[in-house]
Amino acid sequence: MAEAGDRFRSGELTVIGRVTTASNVTLVCEVIDTAAADADALPLRVVYKPIRGEQPLWDFPDGTLAGREVASYLISEAIGWAVIPETILRNGPFGPGMVQRWVEGVDNHTEQGNRLDLIDLCPAGAIPDGFCEVLRALDQEGNEVSLIHADDPRLQRMAVLDVLLNNADRKGGHALEGMDGQVYGVDHGICLHAEHKLRTVLWGWAGQPISDGLITDLTAFAKELPGAFADTLSEHITDAEIDALTERTQRVLDDPVMPVPRTSRPIPWPAF
């Protein structure tokens, strides 16, 4: 039987659906192990974003969105955080593109609708225990609501990674709680710009210290970044963007506190 890793990297992708809400072509695929002795073996499910389906962005003119997704994954792995599902560049039915392992998410909702996602909305000011308020706004019916996220160390690690990645699009639906108990971040196509572009819904820790454990990991990463790892990243992002990543990492180490918003548009739109 072919190893799952071999299938992921070179197995034939069969398109089974499309994420129609995505701004770029985003396809759900399965990779069937034709060499498996068990005909009922479960296929490997992945997300495939062909480069030819990317919409050009005037403020991200260099490289590809697929390359930025791969670079973001490599950074997460180099730090040792495994926040981003395994992501590679490979060929698919519509040419080369990003392929990422599918995350089977936890369903936090009951018939009574009284469970909250990691990032959610609640009535204004009625912040549940274990959650942080980000802002207040009006919903589609004109009711005042609070945008909240879980005060969860797994999610906070993602928020710190977003600072390093300069993530310009951390929406509520981009944080997934996996069946394995991990919290994963997806959709990193507009990350790693040399200019400040941080837009995220994870502002609940703004101004708070970053934990010693995370800083220890970042200290080791900062030592690794200028060497061979930078050469690996150069296949996907520009030298100026690698320099900016180095500067952001050092800035966090020099002042290990979560940043506060410093632009007029610190949250992506839509937020979910």
Side-chain angles (χ1 to χ4, degrees):
M1 179 186 300
E3 294 292 335
D6 294 337
R7 281 194 287 157
F8 178 64
R9 291 172 179 80
S10 60
E12 183 176 355
L13 303 182
T14 299
V15 178
I16 62 171
R18 177 175 179 178
V19 180
T20 57
T21 55
S23 56
N24 298 283
V25 175
T26 301
L27 304 172
V28 181
C29 299
E30 287 185 342
V31 188
I32 299 174
D33 185 0
T34 56
D38 182 1
D40 296 325
L42 292 176
L44 181 67
R45 182 163 294 186
V46 300
V47 174
Y48 164 52
K49 298 180 182 179
I51 292 173
R52 64 189 289 188
E54 295 181 359
Q55 298 293 325
L57 298 174
W58 68 268
D59 55 342
F60 281 80
D62 299 309
T64 64
L65 305 187
R68 293 179 184 279
E69 295 236 34
V70 173
S72 298
Y73 163 73
L74 293 173
I75 291 165
S76 170
E77 289 300 293
I79 300 172
W81 288 353
V83 170
I84 301 174
E86 186 177 6
T87 309
I88 60 173
L89 281 176
R90 55 155 292 184
N91 278 315
F94 301 101
M98 181 223 79
V99 173
Q100 185 175 82
R101 289 185 184 269
W102 180 268
V103 174
E104 193 66 40
V106 173
D107 184 0
N108 283 322
H109 295 277
T110 64
E111 291 183 1
Q112 294 75 28
N114 56 0
R115 295 288 299 277
L116 291 169
D117 289 325
L118 291 168
I119 303 166
D120 217 321
L121 299 173
C122 71
I127 315 303
D129 291 340
F131 279 79
C132 304
E133 184 179 39
V134 177
L135 58 77
R136 298 187 186 185
L138 299 178
D139 66 12
Q140 293 179 334
E141 286 74 39
N143 302 310
E144 191 177 13
V145 295
S146 291
L147 172 62
I148 59 176
H149 65 67
D151 187 9
D152 186 317
R154 300 172 302 172
L155 196 62
Q156 188 174 28
R157 183 172 58 184
M158 181 187 300
V160 177
L161 178 63
D162 282 344
V163 173
L164 265 63
L165 297 180
N166 196 18
N167 193 345
D169 195 37
R170 176 64 73 199
K171 292 183 171 70
H174 295 173
L176 309 174
E177 185 174 9
M179 297 292 289
D180 58 1
Q182 300 296 319
V183 170
Y184 296 98
V186 298
D187 282 337
H188 297 89
I190 50 176
C191 288
L192 297 166
H193 201 288
E195 300 174 6
H196 178 78
K197 291 184 177 290
L198 182 61
R199 290 192 291 268
T200 175
V201 294
L202 299 178
W203 287 112
W205 297 288
Q208 296 184 20
I210 299 172
S211 72
D212 291 343
L214 297 181
I215 293 300
T216 298
D217 294 339
L218 293 182
T219 300
F221 172 67
K223 295 177 181 178
E224 179 182 351
L225 181 53
F229 184 64
D231 294 336
T232 299
L233 290 180
S234 68
E235 299 176 13
H236 307 292
I237 58 176
T238 67
D239 290 345
E241 289 166 338
I242 295 172
D243 290 342
L245 168 65
T246 303
E247 292 170 4
R248 288 192 299 270
T249 304
Q250 190 57 51
R251 195 178 303 127
V252 170
L253 294 177
D254 292 341
D255 184 17
V257 174
M258 290 298 290
V260 298
R262 58 184 178 95
T263 67
S264 60
R265 189 188 164 199
I267 290 179
W269 185 260
F272 288 88

